[in-house]
Amino acid sequence: MNETESFDLLFRSYYQPLLVFAQQYVGDSDDCRDIVSAAFEDLWRNFSRIDHQHVRAYLYTLVRNKCVDHLRHRGTRRQYIEFVTILSDRFTDTDTLAEEDDRRHRVRQVLALLKPPADAIFRECFLHQKRYQQVADELGLSLSVVKKHMARALRVIREKYLKKDA
């Protein structure tokens, strides 16, 4: 019997049982057919190198591994879809975008009102979210000077913006 006839016999003997086997892992019959077909494709590519006495075990192992890969890929795809959904919800919410834009505009207005070094201190603490001590060290100032300038900046914000909203 030549390789083609031998392969054809294996295909007819194992295709249906492998579909049932894959169904236990994956569940979707279309995916199972794809997985089993891919397993037979791999078998055909390596047919001359495979020990034909163990071809049944080889096929079942191949299908199991392909099912696991498929499930892993499906899980990764689901996580990606969830991530993109969350991300797109965040950036397509026009109310949130408008609020963020308004906040940025107000911060720019506050920065324009502040004089050096208060503007640099406010920028570092508020925009770059640095700790007061870190800003003091970077700018060569004392911690109390940084606190004093931040208190002034926050007072300007309260006076200018919180009274308007009330």
Side-chain angles (χ1 to χ4, degrees):
M1 184 181 298
N2 67 23
E3 277 189 355
T4 307
E5 291 171 340
S6 210
F7 181 83
D8 190 45
L9 180 63
L10 286 171
F11 184 83
R12 282 187 269 123
S13 299
Y14 290 112
Y15 185 81
Q16 195 60 41
L18 287 170
L19 273 178
V20 171
F21 179 69
Q23 188 81 28
Q24 294 172 359
Y25 283 95
V26 177
D28 183 77
S29 58
D30 289 336
D31 289 340
C32 291
R33 280 193 288 277
D34 292 343
I35 289 168
V36 172
S37 295
F40 274 105
E41 184 180 324
D42 287 356
L43 174 67
W44 178 248
R45 269 192 251 121
N46 300 308
F47 200 67
S48 60
R49 293 177 282 191
I50 293 172
D51 180 5
H52 292 272
Q53 291 177 347
H54 303 295
V55 74
R56 180 180 184 274
Y58 177 80
L59 276 170
Y60 275 89
T61 302
L62 200 56
V63 168
R64 185 194 71 225
N65 291 344
K66 287 187 179 296
C67 287
V68 169
D69 288 345
H70 175 78
L71 293 172
R72 193 175 297 133
H73 176 73
R74 186 168 42 181
T76 302
R77 185 171 182 265
R78 188 177 321 116
Q79 289 174 346
Y80 175 75
I81 289 169
E82 288 172 9
F83 171 74
V84 169
T85 302
I86 291 168
L87 197 60
S88 65
D89 286 348
R90 180 170 180 229
F91 287 110
T92 57
D93 184 2
T94 55
D95 292 339
T96 304
L97 291 175
E99 289 172 10
E100 287 180 24
D101 191 44
D102 184 49
R103 228 176 290 133
R104 279 192 215 103
H105 179 70
R106 287 182 179 194
V107 168
R108 278 190 299 256
Q109 285 180 330
V110 168
L111 283 171
L113 294 173
L114 299 175
K115 296 178 181 142
D119 60 340
I121 292 169
F122 182 77
R123 184 178 290 111
E124 292 300 313
C125 291
F126 185 76
L127 298 178
H128 298 252
Q129 298 179 345
K130 293 182 180 177
R131 297 182 178 270
Y132 289 179
Q133 185 62 57
Q134 186 180 1
V135 173
D137 293 343
E138 288 176 3
L139 297 177
L141 302 170
S142 70
L143 181 60
S144 62
V145 169
V146 171
K147 287 180 180 180
K148 180 180 82 174
H149 285 292
M150 279 302 294
R152 283 185 189 158
L154 294 172
R155 188 175 61 241
V156 168
I157 292 171
R158 274 192 306 274
E159 289 171 358
K160 183 154 179 72
Y161 295 107
L162 293 182
K163 288 182 182 176
K164 281 186 177 180
D165 293 340

